[in-house]
């Protein structure tokens, strides 16, 4: 078996082909208008925007750094610009049921005109009605009605007074009322004189006074009826006069809005109410509110009194200035901000409300267009998610406060008429949120049928390299940065591949690339360069790593000081350097750790100490079980595995997860069984399957660089290096200093496809290939392992209890 050779420098970092970059600076490049690296997402976005069926709302998910929000917004803007402008919506007073305001839709731009017309109408009515009631004609007709009542009443009294006078009786008016008294001549007879009159005379006078009193009482009782009739005549006169004053004003609006039946119907109701309540306009419409309070209300809101506010129009949604369908992004998608709300105001010490205090939600504003929401914020707001689903499911918005829904408040509120909606909702968030909603919310799939999946990387070839260069030019111009020279662009493209963790891919995390350009521009400005060079990009990359690598440097220092025991020189049996990767935010770094194995005769157990103390995760435990079965199947197929082994991550005080150390643990076991020393200058990463094949792992660049940093700090000997899975070679995008050390022969990276290849590199001893007779050649690692396990099996058999004695013990 040929021992793998270290990788050549060209394989450690895939360089950008400079010959493709036929420019001196990005100033010569045309900007890139299209979105780069997202064909699947753009197809889904175009489909979701174009389809007009219920439930085909969109959920766009992916890393925020891909520019997801900008792509979604720009795609929607292109489509919305060619769509019709949405209609306006207003709320008006419901004269039949004031607690249920009416909603009216109008063509775009006419909602604001209708509100202005109604405000103007109120002012015109106020002036016209007052003027009409102040005319001489009206006063004369009203006075005639009043005079008629007075005349009828006076005639009745005069008739009674005449009858009394014919019978020598006078009608006497006193502060206590009217009465009758006998007279002689022009003088009222004194009671003493009246008593001396003959009995017949007194009886006649008394009887006559009684009859006159009854007639007077009847006349007085007739007065309220006459006054009522007069009031009715005055009302009829007022209606007639008001109709005359109001009719032509409202007729003009009827003509203007004759194409909107709901508006005409409302104007008819307004006319009836104005005619019935003309006094509101004659008296100023303050409804009895003190002058100071009425003035304060008038300053706060035109026609602020409840009496005249009923004639206003509450313009809920106005698209008069818009072009195309509306696009609304709600930064705070709370329940009320989505659904709308009914506000209250203090009036004479009480909280009151009316239709003019209805406020729109994002669904109202986006009606007829698009509503873009952050999914995470939406789910964090109480009841907002349920409110949105209910509106989409019902196809209408029902304005109702949470306090009203849960009966938490007793304040009088309104029940506004529901407004039908036709809106395309676009949620944006992380992939995890999409899949959780898909799994846990059965309504999610019915309402959000279109998934827009943004990728975090794209293929790397000649075409995409050129597109990436143009994208870099566009981002630099957009951010107002200096142009980049060709070497700087090449280095940015290489760093993009490194961000993608793959030499054959480029990162679509545009924000990270833009941040890198901004930092490079800073370093270019410090050296007063006219363009950003490769050194500026390197400075930006190094400065960012320096800002974030405090913890990795602290861990490396503890290894250098001997606090954490890891060797980078010499050999040892059953001890090997493993590599893990840690991530803190956006910063990843490799962390070396020592893995040890101890073996002895036993019952075929490989004890994972991490699992036993519950520090090992499921994936790590799976890797240990796989290597255990590989060991048993390869080396003890025809006799019992009489091994007791233990594996441990030394000085590990946190959880261990992942199977990337399973090959490392297997090497440690093989070393211990074969008693073959392992070169401590080498570190290993890679998982293993049951056939001894080494499999790819993640974070390969960071793992290599983590061990390189430690070796460089202690001094590179030329024998140090890292074993990686051969399938990870295509992912290599190592830092330039690592590539340089490898080119000089001071550090090495070995690609390993099988366990046998790896153990040969680690021990310097041939692994050995199984012969036709099933045995391995003498002196090879595999032969030494087989011999050791057979020795354990023979010893265990020698210590076994005889069959007969065992049976007696069981009885």
């Amino acid at each position: 078996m040929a021992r793998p050779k270290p990788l050549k420098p060209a394989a450690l970092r895939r360089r950008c082909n400079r010959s493709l970059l036929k420019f001196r600076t990005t100033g010569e490049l045309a900007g890139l208008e299209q979105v780069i690296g997202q064909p699947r997402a753009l197809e889904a976005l175009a489909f979701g925007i174009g389809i007009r069926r219920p439930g085909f709302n969109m959920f766009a998910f992916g890393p925020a750094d891909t520019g997801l929000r900008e792509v979604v917004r720009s795609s929607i803007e292109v489509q919305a610009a060619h769509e019709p402008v949405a209609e306006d919506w207003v709320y008006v007073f419901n004269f039949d049921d004031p607690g249920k305001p009416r909603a009216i839709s109008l063509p775009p731009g006419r909602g604001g005109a209708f509100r202005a017309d109604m405000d103007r109408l109120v002012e015109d009515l106020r002036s016209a009605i007052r003027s009409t009631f102040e005319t001489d004609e009206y006063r004369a007709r009203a006075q005639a009605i009043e005079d008629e009542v007075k005349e009828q009443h006076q005639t009745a009294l005069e008739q009674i007074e005449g009858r009394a006078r014919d019978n020598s009786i006078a009608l006497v008016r006193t502060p206590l009322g009217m009465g009758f008294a006998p007279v002689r001549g022009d003088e009222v007879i004194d009671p003493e004189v009246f008593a001396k009159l003959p009995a017949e005379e007194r009886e006649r006078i008394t009887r006559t006074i009684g009859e006159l009193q009854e007639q007077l009482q009847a006349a007085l009782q007739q007065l309220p009826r006459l006054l009522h009739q007069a009031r009715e005549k005055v009302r009829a006169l007022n209606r007639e006069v008001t109709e005359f004053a109001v009719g032509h004003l409202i007729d003009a609006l009827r003509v203007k809005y004759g194409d909107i039946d709901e508006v005409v119907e409302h104007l008819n109701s307004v006319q009836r109410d104005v005619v019935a309540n003309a006094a509101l306009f004659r008296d100023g419409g303050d409804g009895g509110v003190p002058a100071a309070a009425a003035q304060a209300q008038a300053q706060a809101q035109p026609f602020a009194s409840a009496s005249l506010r009923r004639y206003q129009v509450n313009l809920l949604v106005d698209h008069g200035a818009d072009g195309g369908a509306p696009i609304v992004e709600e930064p705070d998608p709370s329940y009320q901000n989505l659904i709308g709300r009914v506000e209250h105001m203090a009036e004479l010490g009480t909280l009151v409300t009316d239709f003019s205090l209805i406020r729109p939600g994002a669904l109202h504003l986006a009606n007829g267009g698009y509503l873009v929401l952050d999914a995470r914020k939406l789910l964090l707001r109480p009841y907002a998610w349920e409110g949105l689903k209910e509106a989409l499911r019902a196809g209408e918005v029902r304005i109702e406060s949470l306090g009203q829904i849960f009966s938490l408040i007793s304040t009088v509120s309104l029940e506004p008429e529901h407004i039908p909606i036709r809106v395309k909702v676009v949620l944006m968030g992380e992939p995890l949120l999409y899949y959780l909603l898909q799994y846990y919310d059965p309504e999610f799939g019915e309402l959000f049928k279109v998934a827009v999946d943004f990728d975090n990387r794209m293929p790397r070839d000649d075409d995409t390299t050129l597109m990436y260069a143009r994208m870099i030019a566009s981002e630099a111009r957009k951010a107002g940065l200096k142009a980049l020279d060709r070497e700087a662009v090449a280095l940015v493209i290489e760093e993009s591949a490194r961000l993608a963790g793959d030499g054959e891919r480029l990162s679509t995390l545009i924000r990270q690339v833009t941040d890198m350009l901004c930092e490079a521009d800073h370093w270019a400005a410090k050296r007063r360069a006219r363009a950003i060079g490769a050194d500026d990009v390197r400075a930006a990359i190094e400065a960012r790593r320096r800002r974030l690598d405090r913890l990795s440097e602290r861990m490396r220092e503890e290894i250098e000081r001997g606090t954490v025991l890891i060797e980078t020189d010499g050999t040892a049996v059953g001890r090997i350097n493993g590599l893990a990767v840690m991530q803190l935010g956006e910063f990843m770094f490799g962390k070396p750790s020592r893995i040890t194995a101890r073996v002895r005769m036993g019952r075929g157990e490989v004890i994972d100490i991490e699992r036993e103390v519950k520090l090992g995760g499921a994936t790590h435990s799976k890797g240990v079980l796989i290597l255990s079965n590989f060991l048993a199947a390869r080396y003890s197929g025809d006799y019992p595995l009489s091994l007791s082994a233990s594996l441990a991550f030394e000085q590990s005080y946190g959880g261990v997860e992942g199977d990337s150390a399973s090959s490392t643990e297997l090497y440690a076991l093989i070393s211990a069984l074969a008693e073959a020393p392992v070169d401590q200058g080498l570190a290993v990463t890679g998982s293993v399957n049951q056939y001894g094949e080494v499999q790819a792992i993640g974070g390969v660049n960071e793992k290599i660089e983590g061990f390189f940093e430690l070796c460089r700090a202690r001094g590179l000997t030329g024998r140090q290096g890292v074993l990686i899975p051969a399938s990870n070679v295509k992912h290599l995008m190592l830092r330039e200093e690592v590539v340089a050390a490898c080119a000089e022969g001071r550090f090495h990276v070995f690609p390993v496809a099988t366990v046998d290849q790896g153990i040969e590199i680690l021990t310097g001893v041939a692994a050995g290939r199984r012969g036709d007779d099933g045995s391995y050649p003498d002196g090879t690692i595999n032969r030494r392992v087989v011999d050791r396990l057979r020795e354990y099996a023979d010893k265990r058999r020698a210590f076994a209890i005889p069959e007969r004695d065992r049976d007696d013990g069981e009885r």
Side-chain angles (χ1 to χ4, degrees):
M1 180 183 299
R3 177 176 174 178
K5 295 181 179 180
L7 291 170
K8 295 185 180 299
L12 301 178
R13 181 183 178 94
R14 181 180 172 183
R15 302 284 182 177
C16 177
N17 186 358
R18 269 64 171 176
S19 64
L20 293 173
L21 309 179
K22 302 182 183 302
F23 56 87
R24 287 179 298 177
T25 70
T26 55
E28 302 171 11
L29 289 177
L32 186 67
E33 300 299 331
Q34 66 190 88
V35 179
I36 189 170
Q38 303 293 349
R40 179 183 292 103
L42 292 177
E43 289 172 11
L45 197 55
F47 168 76
I49 293 174
I51 189 169
R52 298 298 175 184
R53 303 293 298 174
F56 282 85
N57 298 295
M58 293 176 281
F59 194 116
F61 58 93
D65 293 349
T66 57
L68 179 152
R69 185 178 300 276
E70 292 77 12
V71 173
V72 170
R73 177 81 189 200
S74 61
S75 299
I76 293 175
E77 285 176 348
V78 171
Q79 177 65 24
H82 298 91
E83 295 183 6
V85 182
E87 56 196 2
D88 293 347
W89 281 93
V90 301
Y91 270 111
V92 295
F93 186 75
N94 187 340
F95 294 96
D96 297 324
D97 189 347
K100 298 180 178 180
R102 295 184 56 210
I104 300 176
S105 67
L106 298 96
R110 298 186 69 184
F114 182 44
R115 178 179 62 176
D117 287 340
M118 290 303 294
D119 289 347
R120 194 178 305 110
L121 175 66
V122 172
E123 290 296 335
D124 291 345
L125 289 175
R126 193 196 300 263
S127 174
I129 292 174
R130 285 182 178 176
S131 299
T132 302
F133 279 91
E134 291 174 358
T135 61
D136 293 338
E137 180 184 357
Y138 171 77
R139 290 175 178 172
R141 294 179 64 182
Q143 187 64 46
I145 295 172
E146 182 181 350
D147 292 344
E148 181 182 358
V149 172
K150 291 180 178 179
E151 183 180 351
Q152 290 179 0
H153 183 58
Q154 187 64 32
T155 300
L157 291 179
E158 288 177 354
Q159 290 175 353
I160 295 171
E161 189 174 9
R163 294 191 197 102
R165 192 165 47 248
D166 292 342
N167 290 280
S168 300
I169 297 174
L171 178 62
V172 181
R173 293 174 172 83
T174 67
L176 298 178
M178 291 186 292
F180 294 95
V183 295
R184 179 171 293 172
D186 293 331
E187 298 293 332
V188 176
I189 301 175
D190 291 335
E192 295 178 357
V193 176
F194 180 76
K196 296 177 180 180
L197 292 176
E200 292 180 2
E201 184 67 15
R202 289 199 308 271
E203 183 179 349
R204 182 188 66 79
I205 294 174
T206 301
R207 184 174 60 253
T208 301
I209 289 176
E211 292 173 355
L212 292 172
Q213 192 69 41
E214 291 177 1
Q215 293 174 8
L216 177 61
Q217 186 66 29
L220 293 176
Q221 289 177 350
Q222 188 182 15
L223 181 59
R225 181 178 61 80
L226 294 175
L227 293 175
H228 175 72
Q229 292 175 353
R231 283 194 296 270
E232 288 299 321
K233 291 180 180 179
V234 171
R235 289 194 187 99
L237 174 61
N238 290 344
R239 283 194 295 271
E240 177 187 344
V241 171
T242 307
E243 286 278 7
F244 176 77
V246 170
H248 69 281
L249 294 174
I250 296 183
D251 284 342
L253 293 182
R254 286 196 191 95
V255 172
K256 183 175 181 180
Y257 297 97
D259 57 327
I260 308 173
D261 294 340
E262 293 83 357
V263 173
V264 173
E265 181 182 348
H266 177 67
L267 290 173
N268 293 337
S269 299
V270 168
Q271 181 168 351
R272 289 192 295 269
D273 193 76
V274 170
V275 170
N277 298 279
L280 297 175
F281 296 88
R282 294 171 58 191
D283 301 336
D286 58 11
V289 178
Q295 184 178 2
Q297 289 177 351
Q299 292 174 353
Q301 181 180 10
F303 322 126
S305 72
S307 303
L308 293 183
R309 277 204 304 269
R310 71 178 77 177
Y311 305 116
Q312 283 183 272
V313 170
N314 181 359
L315 182 58
L316 196 73
V317 180
D318 181 13
H319 292 299
D322 294 351
I327 303 173
V328 176
E329 285 190 65
E330 177 51 63
D332 180 17
S334 64
Y335 178 85
Q336 288 190 330
N337 287 350
L338 287 176
I339 306 300
R341 63 191 182 277
V342 178
E343 295 180 343
H344 292 73
M345 68 178 182
E347 190 171 278
L348 300 178
T350 352
L351 286 179
V352 297
T353 189
D354 60 28
F355 76 98
S356 66
L357 296 177
I358 300 173
R359 299 293 178 254
L363 283 168
H364 296 103
L365 300 175
N367 194 7
Y370 302 86
L371 175 59
V372 182
L373 300 172
D374 185 291
R376 182 174 176 273
K377 292 180 179 179
L378 176 67
L379 294 170
L380 287 174
R381 303 301 189 270
Y383 302 102
W385 173 240
E386 292 301 321
L388 175 64
K389 289 194 300 180
E390 177 62 29
L392 293 177
R393 189 168 49 248
E396 61 183 18
V397 185
R398 177 182 179 183
I399 299 178
E400 192 173 12
S401 69
L402 291 175
Q404 187 177 357
I405 293 174
F406 296 105
S407 302
L408 300 177
I409 58 175
S410 58
T411 306
V412 176
S413 192
L414 303 175
E415 296 181 22
E417 188 177 348
H418 304 170
I419 293 181
I421 58 170
R422 180 180 50 83
V423 62
K424 180 80 70 173
V425 178
V426 184
L427 297 182
M428 296 186 295
E430 302 169 358
L432 179 62
L433 286 179
Y434 173 80
Y435 293 115
L436 286 175
L437 287 170
Q438 190 79 33
Y439 186 79
Y440 285 107
D441 192 334
E443 296 175 329
F444 177 73
E446 299 177 8
L447 298 174
F448 292 87
K449 298 178 185 287
V450 183
V452 183
D453 188 358
F454 281 76
D455 201 351
N456 62 349
R457 59 184 194 170
M458 58 185 285
R460 181 183 179 186
D461 54 33
D462 290 352
D463 291 336
T464 56
T465 296
L466 291 174
M467 289 179 63
Y468 216 86
R470 290 177 59 193
M471 184 274 292
I472 292 171
S474 296
E475 292 299 315
R477 290 193 192 105
K478 193 185 303 181
L481 309 178
K482 296 179 178 64
L484 287 81
D485 66 24
R486 179 167 51 191
E487 287 298 320
V489 171
L491 188 55
V492 170
I493 291 174
E494 291 173 11
E495 188 64 20
S496 173
R498 179 176 167 81
L499 290 173
D502 192 333
E504 299 177 356
R505 298 289 183 270
L506 292 172
S507 172
T508 58
L509 303 181
I510 306 302
R511 185 182 63 80
Q512 292 188 13
V513 175
T514 304
D515 291 346
M516 187 195 315
L517 298 179
C518 292
E519 295 185 36
D521 182 78
H522 167 76
W523 294 109
K526 290 195 70 172
R527 65 184 184 89
R528 298 183 179 179
R530 300 180 64 180
I532 298 172
D535 289 340
D536 301 316
V537 176
R538 290 190 186 95
I541 295 170
E542 182 59 30
R544 182 178 184 277
R545 188 167 64 86
R546 172 67 177 167
R547 292 194 299 269
L548 298 173
D549 73 344
R550 181 182 64 84
L551 290 179
S552 64
E553 186 176 321
R554 181 68 56 83
M555 292 179 181
R556 192 165 55 250
E557 287 176 356
E558 294 305 317
I559 296 173
E560 293 175 31
R561 296 173 64 192
T563 306
V564 178
L565 301 179
I566 293 178
E567 297 297 331
T568 56
D569 198 9
T571 61
V573 174
R575 290 187 297 188
I576 192 168
N577 295 324
L579 296 172
V581 66
M582 299 185 69
Q583 182 163 3
L584 299 173
E586 297 179 354
F587 183 64
M588 291 177 59
F589 61 92
K591 175 183 177 296
S593 60
R594 172 182 284 182
I595 297 174
T596 61
R598 300 300 300 268
V599 296
R600 62 185 179 86
M601 184 182 66
R603 296 179 298 177
E605 296 176 330
V606 176
I607 299 173
D608 176 13
I609 292 177
E610 309 300 326
R611 180 181 61 188
E612 295 299 319
V613 298
K614 295 182 173 54
L615 285 178
T619 307
H620 176 259
S621 299
K622 175 187 175 183
V624 174
L625 292 174
I626 287 174
L627 70 87
S628 302
N629 283 281
F630 165 78
L631 197 69
R634 167 176 275 201
Y635 298 115
S636 61
D638 55 355
Y639 55 87
L641 182 63
S642 303
L643 167 73
S644 179
S646 61
L647 292 168
F649 278 73
E650 303 294 350
Q651 293 181 286
S652 170
Y653 307 106
V656 176
E657 181 57 301
D659 63 350
S660 63
S662 58
S663 67
T664 315
E665 293 169 315
L666 180 56
Y667 293 140
L669 270 176
I670 292 174
S671 168
L673 286 169
E675 295 185 340
V678 171
D679 191 340
Q680 300 299 290
L682 298 175
V684 180
T685 183
S687 71
V688 68
N689 61 25
Q690 294 190 93
Y691 294 95
E693 297 169 329
V694 179
Q695 302 171 137
I697 44 79
V700 63
N701 293 297
E702 290 76 11
K703 290 176 178 179
I704 294 172
E705 291 163 358
F707 191 67
F708 171 80
E709 291 287 351
L710 175 61
C711 293
R712 183 170 63 172
R714 286 180 169 176
L716 294 172
T717 64
R719 293 178 50 84
Q720 296 147 333
V722 175
L723 279 67
I724 67 169
S727 52
N728 273 125
V729 173
K730 59 181 172 289
H731 301 133
L732 292 178
M733 284 297 297
L734 294 172
R735 297 205 307 263
E736 291 180 323
E737 58 263 36
V738 181
V739 177
C742 292
E744 295 168 2
R746 296 184 297 136
F747 195 77
H748 309 283
V749 177
F750 296 93
V752 174
T754 65
V755 171
D756 287 340
Q757 291 179 344
I759 199 65
E760 287 184 356
I761 297 171
L762 290 167
T763 62
V765 180
R769 185 187 296 272
R770 191 186 294 271
D772 295 336
D773 60 353
S775 64
Y776 291 100
D778 291 338
T780 61
I781 293 292
N782 287 331
R783 179 61 178 269
R784 289 160 69 172
V785 173
V786 169
D787 291 346
R788 186 71 174 273
L789 291 175
R790 192 175 294 278
E791 177 187 348
Y792 283 159
D794 293 342
K795 287 183 179 180
R796 186 180 177 196
R797 188 180 301 110
F799 283 107
I801 301 173
E803 188 72 23
R804 180 173 54 79
D805 294 345
R806 185 168 66 246
D807 292 343
D808 291 343
E810 290 176 355
R811 288 195 294 270

